[in-house]
Amino acid sequence: MSATTNNSGEGASALSLFDSRIASRAARDAFAKLDPRRLMRNPVIFVTEIVAILTTIIGVQDLFTHAAHPAFALAIAVWLWMTVLFATFAEAMAEGRGRARAESLRRARNDMMAKRVPNPDDPALYGTVSSTDLRLGDVVLVETGDLIPLDGEIIKGIASINESAITGESAPVIREAGGDRSAVTGGTMVVSDSLLVRITAEPGHTFIDRMIALVEGASRSKTPNEIALDILLAGLTIIFLVAVVTLVGFAHYSGTTLPVPVLAALLVTLIPTTIGGLLSAIGIAGMDRLVRFNVVATSGRAVEAAGDVDTLLLDKTGTITFGNRMAAAFYPVPGIDEARLAEAAAMASLGDETPEGRSVHVLAREKFGVAPVAPAGSTPVPFSANTRLSGLDAGERSWRKGAVDSLLAAVGEARPPLAFTAAVERIARSGGTPLAVAEDGRLLGVIELKDVVKPGIRDRFAALRRMGIRTVMVTGDNRITAAAIASEAGVDDFVAEATPQDKLDYIRAAQAEGRLVAMCGDGTNDAPALAQADVGVAMQTGTQAAREAANMVDLDSDPTKLIEIVEIGKQLLITRGALTTFSIANDIAKYFAILPAIFVVAYPGLSALNVMHLSTPQSAILSAVIFNAVVIIALVPLALKGVSFKAISAASMLRRNLLIYGLGGILVPFAGIKIIDMLLTAFHIFA
């Protein structure tokens, strides 16, 4: 299933895989990362560097002592250093991409002046101070054209705010005191009106500051899976180290001398340097992919957890449905044509600017080409809570729509036709809202209004089900309405008439069964459930409490993006697993390249294992070392971009990756080592 989120930020922030400025800085940073104190965090590459140092020393000694093959030892040393450099370059590239994305955020974080209000009841009396002097709990006044100095909660007012510095979306949004859209972010601009904002973050600890640290990788800690994989790679390194050391005794027994550079080459080509060199880059790139979708994760652990999620809690309104009741069908009474009912309904809606009213026009136009114009001198009749009716008056003519019982009473229809009553009951049972229509005091029929399920959402849930993810709709609607929407959307379960405690209880029950749960929310009442969920996604438009409780924040405030977040998490895990498989599978070809080269003199029969027909033992060993280094840089784009993800079962995905990266990991080195050997032979290098 492709990620189809409509995200303006992604295109704006897209970077080429090898941007020249990022690549040039990454090349410089790669040398700085050679510091052994930094490389100790990566045991595989650390061992490679130690071996490279040892081989370099031996090569230099051989050069000055006029040993038999000093150039061979130095050549091995050079390519061992290249292996380490390519690994540090991969990590520097991933960090560089995050650093580039942080530059625009830094521009929004610049020091600015703020209007601090000592007494919120009298905002006209304010003092101008630097934003760095503001403290938690201070109240500031922001007016048209002002930048909001720090993160805060609106305590008074309503205003239009430009959040393009954060989200990349140029269209301003409405923020107001109270409710779930009261949080504002430092660095955003007030476009109209004014607000009183209570500061909720100290300088240096704002949302933008946290974003900068996260996208640059400065605060990225290793996830549990990364730690487990590090332990596995360290274990494999120790095993191969012991195996190589034992070869010294075996060679001595068989009358063969194994030079240290040859042992170094064998060790480095057998330990999993490919995944060891790319592991950190994969993790950083996973967070970078989230940032491209305008989602900020507070830790790599959250991204990884998203890949393991097997239960999704989604709000009905705005996520599964459009959130507004929309006209879905016309049901005329006997003797009335459906087109006439549609025209009358459209006339009655000419003065109705609500989403429901506009949807009546859309449905009438799409089905019958009806696009009525209000007659001259006509008067709209606005909806009234007393009459529960609205419509249009034009001289002696009138059109009305509204609640069924109110309209029947208004037209004096004590016993409506059975077809009308049946249609009303059918609409109500399906969770919709019936809206009666009359023209000139005569009942014409009923409009079905319902919360329309978003197109394609059923297919997306089906794809999630194939991946083993259970979808749960959460709504405050009654069970009848909830069941109808759940059936149409294709979710696996639903929670009707849900309270904040119901959400929390559901998450706890699912986790008690061993499930990993993700949910999204934007209100203060969602905070407990967001904190309890394994992956909690808060909307940027939501309250400060929701954003603090969640471990991800969606800058576009699009609840459906939860599905894309799960896909990105799974892509991270798949990429890590695929490259680990490829790295380990590489060893088979290296056995056929190096072992015959080492022991062919003592055991001539081993020449049968030289299936690649490599020219000389020195050429075979050097070709394997060169391939071992080059494959790291060749896989950097895949580590940064990620392995392509498809919504298929885990078993199918395993077969697919084993075929591509397992079988490919076996075959590619055979071809690669042979090509390198042919080049060395062509240039008469150790041939």
Side-chain angles (χ1 to χ4, degrees):
M1 181 168 63
S2 61
T4 56
T5 188
N6 187 9
N7 179 348
S8 63
E10 187 206 2
S13 61
L15 295 169
S16 63
L17 282 176
F18 282 100
D19 182 275
S20 58
R21 290 173 299 176
I22 296 175
S24 60
R25 178 165 180 176
R28 296 193 301 271
D29 290 347
F31 285 93
K33 289 177 177 290
L34 293 178
D35 184 346
R37 292 170 297 181
R38 300 179 67 174
L39 277 184
M40 286 181 68
R41 294 177 298 174
N42 190 330
V44 178
I45 304 303
F46 177 70
V47 168
T48 304
E49 184 179 46
I50 297 301
V51 172
I53 293 171
L54 180 61
T55 308
T56 303
I57 294 172
I58 293 173
V60 172
Q61 287 179 342
D62 289 349
L63 188 65
F64 285 102
T65 58
H66 304 289
H69 299 288
F72 178 68
L74 288 175
I76 294 292
V78 167
W79 282 102
L80 293 182
W81 280 114
M82 294 302 292
T83 303
V84 179
L85 273 172
F86 289 160
T88 55
F89 176 77
E91 182 178 15
M93 275 293 296
E95 291 176 349
R97 289 164 64 82
R99 193 181 297 113
R101 298 188 194 284
E103 291 302 324
S104 61
L105 296 175
R106 280 199 178 88
R107 289 192 289 271
R109 194 190 58 175
N110 291 338
D111 186 23
M112 62 193 77
M113 304 307 292
K115 302 169 184 175
R116 184 164 57 189
V117 178
N119 181 9
D121 294 330
D122 192 1
L125 298 176
Y126 60 82
T128 302
V129 298
S130 170
S131 61
T132 58
D133 294 330
L134 294 173
R135 292 296 176 263
L136 202 67
D138 284 349
V139 176
V140 296
L141 171 68
V142 283
E143 300 175 295
T144 302
D146 289 347
L147 291 173
I148 296 170
L150 295 172
D151 296 355
E153 289 272 2
I154 301 171
I155 60 174
K156 185 177 181 181
I158 178 172
S160 179
I161 296 180
N162 182 350
E163 296 184 339
S164 59
I166 308 298
T167 66
E169 176 57 62
S170 58
V173 294
I174 301 299
R175 297 287 179 266
E176 59 183 321
D180 295 340
R181 295 180 177 268
S182 59
V184 289
T185 304
T188 56
M189 178 181 287
V190 177
V191 178
S192 66
D193 303 296
S194 62
L195 300 169
L196 281 181
V197 177
R198 178 178 288 111
I199 301 301
T200 58
E202 297 280 2
H205 295 84
T206 65
F207 184 69
I208 289 182
D209 290 306
R210 296 203 307 274
M211 283 180 65
I212 291 172
L214 288 164
V215 299
E216 286 187 324
S219 63
R220 197 186 85 88
S221 58
K222 289 189 176 182
T223 65
N225 276 354
E226 276 185 289
I227 294 171
L229 190 53
D230 267 342
I231 294 171
L232 172 64
L233 298 182
L236 289 174
T237 302
I238 293 171
I239 291 171
F240 283 119
L241 180 60
V242 171
V244 169
V245 170
T246 59
L247 285 179
V248 177
F250 183 76
H252 181 72
Y253 173 79
S254 61
T256 304
T257 301
L258 294 181
V260 172
V262 172
L263 293 173
L266 178 61
L267 174 64
V268 172
T269 53
L270 293 185
I271 63 178
T273 50
T274 305
I275 185 60
L278 297 173
L279 184 60
S280 181
I282 293 169
I284 297 171
M287 297 186 72
D288 179 68
R289 280 193 291 276
L290 273 180
V291 173
R292 282 193 284 122
F293 278 90
N294 270 0
V295 177
V296 177
T298 57
S299 70
R301 186 185 299 264
V303 185
E304 192 172 271
D308 288 327
V309 159
D310 53 17
T311 301
L312 279 180
L313 261 67
L314 302 112
D315 280 333
K316 173 188 74 91
T317 305
T319 304
I320 295 173
T321 66
F322 283 105
N324 295 310
R325 295 179 307 166
M326 301 175 72
F330 298 112
Y331 297 97
V333 298
I336 298 296
D337 183 69
E338 187 178 352
R340 182 183 172 189
L341 171 60
E343 184 176 3
M347 290 294 293
S349 302
L350 281 174
D352 186 355
E353 291 301 320
T354 65
E356 292 88 345
R358 290 194 293 270
S359 73
V360 172
H361 283 283
V362 170
L363 183 63
R365 183 171 59 252
E366 289 180 350
K367 292 194 70 173
F368 303 104
V370 172
V373 178
S378 61
T379 304
V381 178
F383 176 82
S384 167
N386 293 323
T387 63
R388 296 194 296 164
L389 298 173
S390 64
L392 185 74
D393 286 336
E396 297 182 354
R397 303 210 61 191
S398 66
W399 296 266
R400 291 290 186 274
K401 64 180 175 66
V404 172
D405 54 346
S406 297
L407 190 132
L408 291 177
V411 300
E413 190 78 55
R415 300 183 64 182
L418 291 177
F420 175 86
T421 304
V424 169
E425 290 177 354
R426 185 169 60 252
I427 293 168
R429 281 198 306 271
S430 67
T433 301
L435 207 62
V437 179
E439 180 183 47
D440 298 332
R442 180 185 177 187
L443 179 67
L444 298 185
V446 62
I447 308 169
E448 179 184 6
L449 294 180
K450 66 177 183 178
D451 200 355
V452 177
V453 172
K454 292 182 177 180
I457 199 76
R458 188 182 184 90
D459 293 336
R460 303 187 76 185
F461 288 153
L464 289 171
R465 192 175 299 111
R466 289 194 298 272
M467 294 159 49
I469 296 176
R470 189 165 180 265
T471 52
V472 182
M473 183 185 76
V474 181
T475 177
D477 290 340
N478 60 65
R479 289 193 62 83
I480 293 176
T481 301
I485 296 293
S487 175
E488 185 176 354
V491 295
D492 298 304
D493 195 5
F494 66 90
V495 180
E497 300 174 345
T499 64
Q501 186 62 43
D502 291 334
K503 297 178 186 178
L504 186 60
D505 290 344
Y506 192 97
I507 293 172
R508 285 174 174 169
Q511 289 172 333
E513 296 174 0
R515 295 179 175 274
L516 265 70
V517 183
M519 78 156 289
C520 61
D522 57 3
T524 300
N525 61 353
D526 290 325
L530 287 170
Q532 181 68 37
D534 299 285
V535 178
V537 183
M539 302 296 103
Q540 168 66 5
T541 58
T543 63
Q544 186 72 16
R547 294 196 296 181
E548 291 291 340
N551 49 28
M552 290 189 187
V553 177
D554 176 18
L555 304 181
D556 292 328
S557 300
D558 177 8
T560 62
K561 205 180 290 181
L562 191 60
I563 298 172
E564 272 77 25
I565 291 171
V566 171
E567 292 178 356
I568 291 172
K570 286 192 174 295
Q571 186 183 37
L572 171 64
L573 297 179
I574 292 167
T575 302
R576 191 181 295 152
L579 292 184
T580 300
T581 303
F582 185 87
S583 178
I584 294 173
N586 274 196
D587 284 354
I588 296 175
K590 296 168 189 174
Y591 290 134
F592 282 94
I594 295 182
L595 290 180
I598 293 175
F599 292 106
V600 71
V601 175
Y603 301 99
L606 286 178
S607 60
L609 296 180
N610 185 15
V611 295
M612 290 177 277
H613 302 291
L614 304 177
S615 301
T616 65
Q618 291 88 351
S619 174
I621 294 170
L622 187 58
S623 297
V625 173
I626 293 174
F627 175 84
N628 194 63
V630 171
V631 74
I632 294 177
I633 203 71
L635 290 175
V636 167
L638 185 62
L640 297 180
K641 186 178 180 181
V643 173
S644 62
F645 170 76
K646 294 183 179 179
I648 55 180
S649 67
S652 300
M653 192 176 300
L654 178 62
R655 287 194 299 270
R656 173 176 172 267
N657 285 342
L658 284 177
L659 180 63
I660 296 174
Y661 298 98
L663 185 59
I666 294 172
L667 298 179
V668 169
F670 279 99
I673 292 172
K674 179 59 179 177
I675 291 171
I676 294 170
D677 176 74
M678 292 170 64
L679 291 173
L680 293 177
T681 302
F683 289 98
H684 304 288
I685 302 174
F686 305 115

